């Protein structure tokens, strides 16, 4: 560099050179714009009610095993049962025993008429279990059978409300007891047919010593005569039916052959004698039970109350308001109130 010349400053550099320099420099990569994730709506789960599963926990006695799943195909609403345990309800602060059953009824649902197994819950207000026995009866069975509940793997067990399920069961003073069955459905295939059918004919048995039993008043006797080629099924009323005329009518209707007439008449007479004897024994047993009963037990029997709960109307299940019945079964008779 010669004397007297000045170094060019950055600002004084040739603009062409600047342009050349810019073309040779690598281009800076553009920054990708950040995309914000869409905000999802928070999910809200409805809190479970304290007694929400109470109706499901009660075993539906007498329901055919292959019909059990159909009972739960609808979202039945038993809020009326839950409310009954609230202050002011019919079951509030009372000791209650619950059992379930089903009633097949023709109902409408979503414009379609269909037969549905309607679940029903019966609540018995009592200071002690209303029964420890099960009655087994059907048209096909020759005689009624009363057996201990435990023989059918059934028993009254405490129901634990949701709010108490983290507590130790033995420390809880439960006021609600449900009829439970421990028979596993997976083991049904190993049961004999007669044993399996017994579950379908089960009815919770109730002995009310102050109320004359329906069987004591009945003059009808079921007849299953082992005729050939098929048995004769009928009911004979020893007060209203005349045996000779009754038998001739069966022969006329070709339900019974003429050569079996005398055997059939003797069979009916024997069944009538057995029924009259059973009625007499039942009356005597009831009379004796009352005589030996303490005043406290008498008062407990007389104060028992029976409430029958049907599901309330909801959009998720058929409306059953037109098919309600106060009748529970032949042992319990009618409920004091249907809800």
């Amino acid at each position: 560099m010669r004397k007297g010349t000045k170094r060019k400053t950055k600002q004084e550099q040739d603009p062409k050179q600047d342009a050349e320099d810019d073309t040779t420099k690598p281009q800076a990569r553009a920054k990708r714009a950040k995309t914000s994730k869409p905000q999802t709506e928070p999910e809200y789960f409805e809190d479970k009610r304290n007694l929400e599963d109470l109706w499901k926990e009660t075993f539906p006695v007498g329901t055919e095993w292959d019909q059990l799943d159909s009972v739960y195909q609808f979202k039945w609403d038993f809020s009326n049962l839950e409310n009954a345990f609230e202050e002011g309800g019919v079951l509030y602060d009372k000791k209650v025993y619950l059992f379930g059953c089903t009633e097949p009824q023709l109902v409408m649902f979503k414009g379609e008429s269909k037969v549905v197994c309607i679940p029903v819950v019966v609540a018995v207000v009592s200071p002690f279990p209303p029964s420890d026995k099960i009655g087994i009866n059907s048209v096909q069975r020759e005689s009624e059978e009363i057996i201990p509940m435990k023989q059918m793997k059934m028993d009254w067990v405490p129901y634990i409300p949701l709010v108490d399920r983290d507590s130790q069961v033995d420390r809880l003073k439960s006021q609600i007891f449900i009829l439970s069955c421990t028979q596993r459905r997976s083991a049904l295939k190993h049961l004999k047919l007669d044993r399996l059918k017994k579950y379908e004919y089960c009815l919770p048995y109730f002995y009310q010593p102050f109320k004359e039993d329906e069987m004591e008043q009945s003059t009808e006797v079921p007849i299953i005569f082992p005729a050939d080629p098929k048995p004769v099924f009928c009911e004979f009323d020893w007060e209203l039916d005349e045996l000779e005329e009754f038998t001739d009518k069966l022969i006329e209707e070709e339900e019974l052959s003429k050569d079996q007439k005398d055997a059939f008449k003797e069979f009916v007479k024997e069944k009538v004698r057995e029924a009259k004897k059973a009625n007499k024994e039942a009356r005597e047993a009831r009379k004796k039970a009352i005589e030996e009963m303490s005043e406290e037990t008498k008062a407990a029997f007389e104060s028992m109350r029976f409430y029958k709960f049907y599901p309330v109307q909801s959009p998720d299940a058929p409306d059953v308001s037109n098919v309600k019945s106060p009748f529970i079964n032949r042992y319990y008779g009618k409920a004091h109130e249907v809800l």
Side-chain angles (χ1 to χ4, degrees), residues 35-84:
T35 56
S36 59
K37 291 182 179 178
Q39 290 187 343
T40 56
E41 288 286 331
E43 284 189 83
Y44 295 98
F45 295 97
E46 192 175 338
D47 289 339
K48 285 194 173 183
R49 301 185 302 276
N50 199 28
L51 305 177
E52 187 173 345
D53 64 352
L54 176 57
W55 78 270
K56 288 184 180 178
E57 292 296 310
T58 59
F59 181 65
V61 188
T63 305
E64 295 180 20
W65 288 104
D66 59 0
Q67 294 295 314
L68 277 180
D69 289 336
S70 70
V71 176
Y72 308 107
Q73 65 177 311
F74 300 107
K75 193 177 179 182
W76 300 105
D77 183 352
F78 275 89
S79 55
N80 54 341
L81 174 62
E82 299 169 43
N83 294 337

Side-chain angles (χ1 to χ4, degrees), residues 156-173:
W156 299 106
V157 298
Y159 170 78
I160 312 301
L162 289 173
V163 72
D164 296 323
R165 288 187 186 172
D166 291 333
S167 308
Q168 288 186 2
V169 176
D170 56 348
R171 292 186 180 181
L172 296 171
K173 292 183 179 179

